[in-house]
Amino acid sequence: MTRTSMIIEILTLFPEMFPGVLESSIIGRAQTSELLHIRVRNIRDYTTDKHHVADDAPYGGGPGMVMKPEPLAAALDAVALDHPQTALTRVYLTPEGEVWNQTLAEEFARLPGIVLVCGHYEGIDERIRTTCIDREVSAGDYVLTGGELPAMMIADSVARLIPGVVGNEQSIVQESFGHHGLLDHPHYTRPEKFRGMGLPEMLLSGHHKNIDAWRREQSLRRTFERRPDLVIAAWETLSRKEQALVQSWRDSEEEGSEDTCPTGQKKVSDPDTLT
């Protein structure tokens, strides 16, 4: 491991779920290149009983099991001892946390390292949450069996933002949720003809400036159609021309509807008119 490697430690009850994901493709190459150091630890290895029990019934009764505090605390202590010079951010994966997005991925990618604690069953003992956890993150508003899949998702989305991990870093800038906050534009490759379908003529023009402008418009249009909330969030970063373009699309969709503005005219500068 080089001094510049980012560290991702994963604590889980099911380490066998991870090798295929973490050893393949971009993440695998990043570890081989020592840009990234990932270790998956089995929480049961930090139990002290002969049966390696890592969960128990909840106090006060109720369904399910709760992950015990002692093994988790011991695992977190072991991680800290292995990285004494690195301030690792300890992250508990739970439906109650911040919803993961590209902004968080970019924030985490700037950290020297993270510890991903995979919850399971009814979750972890509250005393671990209040004393040993720095951040809580959710994969979204739905229920999963445990934190293992979110841990893979976070590791992947963070790893690809580490300088040098993705060969062509421009692809990170241009993709969905990149620096402009919009969805990505359509992509095409060979053959030129496929099942009777051709390509947009602009992509065959060879005029790169016009192609870039076309892609930007396609990105904006796709975001407007599929994620208008992102257009609202990015409104102030759009040019006046782009704002007018978005407004024209909305006008086309709602042609003939009454405008809510007192003047009877739509405000191009007001992103709330997109909703």
Side-chain angles (χ1 to χ4, degrees):
M1 180 178 63
T2 68
R3 293 180 64 187
T4 57
S5 297
M6 181 180 182
I7 297 166
I8 299 179
E9 290 267 3
I10 300 174
L11 308 184
T12 174
L13 293 174
F14 301 96
E16 65 274 10
M17 294 179 64
F18 289 88
V21 173
L22 300 183
E23 296 173 5
S24 304
S25 189
I26 289 175
I27 294 184
R29 293 196 298 270
Q31 293 183 84
T32 301
S33 302
E34 297 190 328
L35 296 170
L36 178 65
H37 170 77
I38 299 180
R39 178 175 176 181
V40 179
R41 300 182 189 235
N42 190 340
I43 296 170
R44 296 185 192 279
D45 291 342
Y46 299 91
T47 57
T48 56
D49 66 294
K50 66 178 181 179
H51 298 296
H52 302 292
V53 175
D55 60 282
D56 208 333
Y59 271 108
M65 304 290 279
V66 177
M67 293 175 66
K68 292 168 62 65
E70 307 100 305
L72 275 171
L76 288 165
D77 288 345
V79 170
L81 286 172
D82 284 348
H83 306 286
Q85 304 301 319
T86 306
L88 300 177
T89 299
R90 301 161 299 182
V91 183
Y92 174 44
L93 304 173
T94 168
E96 300 161 34
E98 302 172 78
V99 177
W100 186 252
N101 56 32
Q102 189 67 14
T103 300
L104 281 179
E106 292 170 357
E107 177 187 343
F108 277 36
R110 292 190 293 268
L111 298 173
I114 55 177
V115 184
L116 301 176
V117 180
C118 300
H120 219 79
Y121 311 121
E122 296 301 311
I124 66 176
D125 189 288
E126 187 69 15
R127 291 166 290 186
I128 292 294
R129 294 178 74 165
T130 56
T131 61
C132 300
I133 298 298
D134 303 306
R135 301 283 291 271
E136 296 191 355
V137 169
S138 168
D141 296 335
Y142 50 89
V143 178
L144 295 171
T145 303
E148 285 73 22
L149 291 177
M152 298 176 198
M153 175 187 72
I154 290 172
D156 185 278
S157 59
V158 167
R160 62 196 322 280
L161 295 174
I162 298 171
V165 169
V166 175
N168 184 353
E169 295 189 6
Q170 187 63 24
S171 65
I172 295 176
V173 175
Q174 293 181 347
E175 65 194 2
S176 293
F177 311 109
H179 76 288
H180 50 61
L182 304 178
L183 300 182
D184 200 4
H185 58 76
H187 294 269
Y188 300 87
T189 188
R190 295 181 177 84
E192 184 175 335
K193 295 289 185 180
F194 172 70
R195 296 185 176 179
M197 295 177 286
L199 301 173
E201 292 185 7
M202 178 59 69
L203 298 180
L204 302 174
S205 68
H207 196 299
H208 295 294
K209 185 176 180 179
N210 289 348
I211 290 174
D212 287 343
W214 178 86
R215 285 174 169 167
R216 172 69 178 185
E217 181 177 330
Q218 292 297 310
S219 172
L220 185 58
R221 181 64 190 244
R222 176 168 286 185
T223 309
F224 170 77
E225 292 175 344
R226 303 182 183 186
R227 289 292 303 276
D229 58 305
L230 296 179
V231 177
I232 293 172
W235 189 257
E236 296 302 323
T237 68
L238 302 182
S239 67
R240 294 290 297 179
K241 180 179 179 181
E242 289 172 334
Q243 290 180 352
L245 189 59
V246 170
Q247 193 63 64
S248 71
W249 294 334
R250 183 177 184 274
D251 290 344
S252 295
E253 286 188 349
E254 300 184 2
E255 185 175 359
S257 64
E258 291 186 2
D259 199 299
T260 58
C261 296
T263 61
Q265 297 178 347
K266 292 181 171 62
K267 298 180 182 178
V268 173
S269 61
D270 185 1
D272 291 334
T273 61
L274 298 179
T275 57

